[in-house]
Amino acid sequence: MNPHILINFGFKEHTGRSTMNAIFAFLLGRMKERTLLIDLDPSMTSTKIISKTKKINVDPENTIYTGLNQMDLNRSIIKVNDSLSIIPGDWRINLWSPSSEKREENSYISEAISNLKYNFKYIIIDMPNIESNIASNALRASTNVFLTLENQRSSYTSFTKDVQYLTETKHNFKMNYAVSGILLYITRGNPSSKENQLFINDAKSKFGGAIMSNPMWFQERIKSFTEDGISSNGIWDNRVLTMYQNILNEELTRIEE
């Protein structure tokens, strides 16, 4: 069975996608689903979160950068537990470019994934938030893409650019992924506030059933996950994890439809 390869997409910074990807990987591992997290973001946020959560060490000579240079990701895989594995990020990913001898430069990552020796049900790719060869490679490898729409005035402009980029790259490079939903990100307040309900209703009127039922909203507790690793030791930890679990469950439902 081929894996589902998920990307939570958007070029707008500070929308918490790397944190969400790390938490999704953590939750899928807790669900006993064989999952691989591939960190393509030079900030290495998702790698740092999983490393702090699971107390693992990353060898700088066995990362996504070294794996892609050797066209072999197998040696870069860190097995966190029986269900969860990670290919750690590397700031040097900005220096990587496909071999000039390669005709299909945008298929490098998908080819490397297809050569993995281990079977995964889900692969989550944490991609950089800039237009780049890495970004187009990641999209080429994916099976399902979820967009993020933030409740700020500038967000519709950024969102429109994201959609345009997806449309152009998918057409130009003949990509086969499905755009499976739009996640609403609420940066202040809770989803039930009047202002946020107006935002949610407006998004639904514009994009209909593409809007996911479970939004993501900013919670202070998330900062501790980024700084100290994921925890489930208290009511506020579990409140955050419940929010992400609901979003993850909906994404999994959508990609299985």
Side-chain angles (χ1 to χ4, degrees):
M1 179 185 295
N2 293 327
H4 297 291
I5 305 175
L6 281 63
I7 288 180
N8 291 290
F9 177 80
F11 288 133
K12 193 173 189 299
E13 295 182 345
H14 310 303
T15 55
R17 278 184 300 274
S18 290
T19 300
M20 179 169 65
N21 288 329
I23 295 174
F24 277 8
F26 169 83
L27 291 172
L28 283 165
R30 196 166 69 171
M31 294 161 63
K32 308 301 182 186
E33 300 284 8
R34 287 188 57 81
T35 302
L36 174 66
L37 173 65
I38 301 177
D39 189 354
L40 291 173
D41 190 338
S43 73
M44 301 167 56
T45 298
S46 60
T47 296
K48 293 172 184 175
I49 292 173
I50 295 296
S51 298
K52 291 174 182 176
T53 302
K54 297 297 186 179
K55 307 295 188 295
I56 60 174
N57 295 317
V58 174
D59 181 350
E61 295 309 313
N62 283 319
T63 66
I64 185 64
Y65 175 73
T66 54
L68 286 176
N69 277 339
Q70 297 166 13
M71 199 54 190
D72 183 7
L73 296 181
N74 288 288
R75 62 172 294 182
S76 300
I77 294 175
I78 296 176
K79 184 177 179 181
V80 177
N81 54 43
D82 288 342
S83 301
L84 176 61
S85 298
I86 180 173
I87 297 179
D90 191 320
W91 67 268
R92 294 175 295 177
I93 195 68
N94 283 328
L95 306 177
W96 176 79
S97 61
S99 167
S100 59
E101 299 176 359
K102 186 77 173 174
R103 288 191 304 167
E104 292 288 344
E105 291 187 349
N106 288 89
S107 67
Y108 250 55
I109 292 176
S110 56
E111 286 189 23
I113 290 174
S114 69
N115 291 328
L116 291 174
K117 295 178 181 178
Y118 306 97
N119 294 320
F120 297 99
K121 184 174 181 180
Y122 298 106
I123 296 176
I124 298 174
I125 298 180
D126 188 24
M127 62 179 285
N129 58 9
I130 58 172
E131 297 183 22
S132 62
N133 191 275
I134 289 285
S136 58
N137 255 268
L139 288 169
R140 180 71 170 266
S142 68
T143 59
N144 298 87
V145 173
F146 291 86
L147 286 154
T148 303
L149 175 59
E150 188 178 349
N151 66 332
Q152 293 188 4
R153 291 183 182 276
S154 62
S155 294
Y156 278 114
T157 300
S158 301
F159 182 81
T160 300
K161 291 180 179 178
D162 288 345
V163 172
Q164 183 178 2
Y165 178 83
L166 288 178
T167 302
E168 290 177 355
T169 54
K170 187 172 185 179
H171 176 266
N172 291 341
F173 298 111
K174 296 179 175 59
M175 299 178 183
N176 296 316
Y177 63 80
V179 176
S180 300
I182 300 171
L183 173 65
L184 300 182
Y185 176 41
I186 296 171
T187 56
R188 60 181 67 87
N190 61 64
S192 62
S193 71
K194 181 178 179 180
E195 180 181 359
N196 288 329
Q197 281 297 306
L198 288 173
F199 162 67
I200 291 171
N201 291 334
D202 180 62
K204 287 181 177 178
S205 69
K206 285 182 170 69
F207 304 109
I211 299 296
M212 293 175 60
S213 300
N214 294 283
M216 177 172 67
W217 71 95
F218 178 77
Q219 300 180 58
E220 284 291 334
R221 197 64 169 187
I222 298 172
K223 291 182 180 178
S224 68
F225 284 12
T226 304
E227 295 169 358
D228 304 317
I230 302 165
S231 170
S232 58
N233 291 330
I235 185 173
W236 296 107
D237 292 336
N238 286 305
R239 183 182 181 187
V240 170
L241 290 177
T242 297
M243 177 187 72
Y244 282 112
Q245 185 71 67
N246 290 338
I247 296 169
L248 173 61
N249 290 345
E250 184 172 359
E251 288 200 3
L252 298 183
T253 299
R254 284 175 174 250
I255 67 176
E256 296 287 355
E257 290 178 347

